[in-house]
Amino acid sequence: MAFRDTSSKIIIKTIEQIEGIRASSILASQALKEIEPFVKPGASTEYLNSICAQFIKDNGAIAATLGYHGYPKETCISVNDVICHGIPGKYELRDGDIVNIDVTTILKGYFGDTSKMYLVGEVPEHAQKLVKTTKECLNIGIQQCIEGNSLNNIGYYINKHAVANGYSTVYEFCGHGVGIKFHEEPEICHIAEKGTGPLLKPGMIFTIEPMINAGKARSKVDRKDGWTARTIDGKLSAQFEHTICITKGEPYVLTDIEHAYPIPTDIF
Ligand code: MF3
Ligand code: CO
Ligand code: CO
């Protein structure tokens, strides 16, 4: 099958750019950590957004989503059947909700993009399993981020794991190159054909952000707000996102602040 060769448009970042993107990525991840104690029953998504917005501002950065193609808020907050691009608003979290918060920062001109799931109060086991499997899907995708590997192996193995657990993979929203701009080449599909796409090279930076659905894969965008993407069948959806830099060795997860990565000196 023919595919579009976009490898020539993929920016190979310099060490200086990688360091800048890393700093922005750390800040975005810290916002997700900062917000954690506030994600409780009764908290409105607007309130959670305002805390993240303040944190980003206090650290000398800009929230990349605000005004992006007219998007009105500093974060995306997607609850239950919302796949992505949920607009923070009056909705108050309830016991049993699962919620994704997605933060994109611009620090000194560099973009960092990450999201994770939060469990609100007591969450039913089937929802917990979806969240756990989605995190595994992201990690499986990251394991494919090895120099010389085909880009689409990321999506191939992500979808394989989702299907093995009885879930489906959203194909209408993808990961993306990131760092100098919000959305750069290449597109990272989370369901893809094995062995296709450009080959991974050191200095490439992109997100992996699988959206995994409990039911059907299809999404529908809210007609009124033009953003909120929901599952077509009303079933749950989960998502995790990291920003990854390809190196000549192990993948460098720029938005991971849990494991204290040193800046690899051997990226190239
Ligand atoms: N942060 C999202 C991503 O991971 C993009 C949000 S764009 C917005 O790509 F306009 F909806 F905020
Ligand atoms: Co992204
Ligand atoms: Co994001």
Side-chain angles (χ1 to χ4, degrees):
M1 208 176 95
F3 59 90
R4 200 160 58 103
D5 180 11
T6 56
S7 53
S8 58
K9 288 194 216 155
I10 304 174
I11 304 168
I12 300 296
K13 272 81 176 184
T14 64
I15 292 283
E16 190 190 335
Q17 289 169 335
I18 294 167
E19 284 178 11
I21 298 163
R22 167 66 165 159
S24 192
S25 298
I26 288 175
L27 187 60
S29 311
Q30 282 169 339
L32 293 184
K33 210 175 173 125
E34 189 81 0
I35 197 67
E36 188 143 9
F38 300 96
V39 186
K40 293 192 297 210
S44 73
T45 55
E46 206 160 52
Y47 174 65
L48 299 176
N49 178 71
S50 69
I51 294 171
C52 288
Q54 192 64 45
F55 180 82
I56 293 165
K57 208 172 156 195
D58 288 347
N59 284 280
I62 298 167
T65 56
L66 185 64
Y68 182 77
H69 294 282
Y71 185 81
K73 296 281 176 177
E74 290 87 346
T75 63
C76 295
I77 304 188
S78 304
V79 184
N80 295 336
D81 66 322
V82 178
I83 296 170
C84 62
H85 303 166
I87 302 174
K90 302 222 175 307
Y91 179 80
E92 290 174 2
L93 296 178
R94 292 181 201 157
D95 196 53
D97 283 348
I98 60 169
V99 50
N100 174 280
I101 303 182
D102 192 331
V103 170
T104 312
T105 47
I106 313 173
L107 182 67
K108 297 182 181 158
Y110 296 111
F111 290 75
D113 190 6
T114 184
S115 82
K116 62 175 275 196
M117 297 300 294
Y118 302 82
L119 305 177
V120 183
E122 287 290 314
V123 169
E125 210 162 304
H126 68 94
Q128 286 188 37
K129 193 193 157 222
L130 174 69
V131 170
K132 178 173 171 277
T133 305
T134 305
K135 193 170 191 179
E136 288 163 1
C137 284
L138 171 57
N139 288 332
I140 285 166
I142 292 171
Q143 283 167 18
Q144 291 299 313
C145 292
I146 300 297
E147 177 178 13
N149 196 11
S150 302
L151 177 84
N152 284 337
N153 285 357
I154 296 169
Y156 173 78
Y157 286 104
I158 285 174
N159 180 58
K160 194 175 175 199
H161 189 63
V163 169
N165 282 278
Y167 302 136
S168 66
T169 307
V170 174
Y171 52 86
E172 290 151 313
F173 301 95
C174 300
H176 49 92
V178 70
I180 311 297
K181 288 193 292 179
F182 197 161
H183 292 108
E184 304 172 2
E185 298 279 359
E187 212 168 53
I188 314 296
C189 300
H190 304 108
I191 166 170
E193 205 178 325
K194 197 176 174 179
T196 65
L199 302 183
L200 300 179
K201 290 197 187 82
M204 287 182 177
I205 295 183
F206 51 76
T207 73
I208 304 178
E209 47 184 296
M211 286 142 273
I212 305 299
N213 292 353
K216 293 191 169 78
R218 277 289 304 282
S219 67
K220 56 173 191 291
V221 174
D222 189 302
R223 281 183 181 219
K224 285 196 207 115
D225 69 27
W227 286 101
T228 312
R230 287 198 172 77
T231 57
I232 203 148
D233 54 12
K235 293 194 177 168
L236 294 177
S237 183
Q239 179 181 29
F240 284 87
E241 173 176 31
H242 268 316
T243 296
I244 292 103
C245 178
I246 304 296
T247 79
K248 69 177 188 189
E250 292 295 302
Y252 181 20
V253 186
L254 301 177
T255 43
D256 186 348
I257 54 171
E258 301 300 322
H259 307 88
Y261 286 96
I263 291 182
T265 48
D266 54 349
I267 286 173
F268 299 101

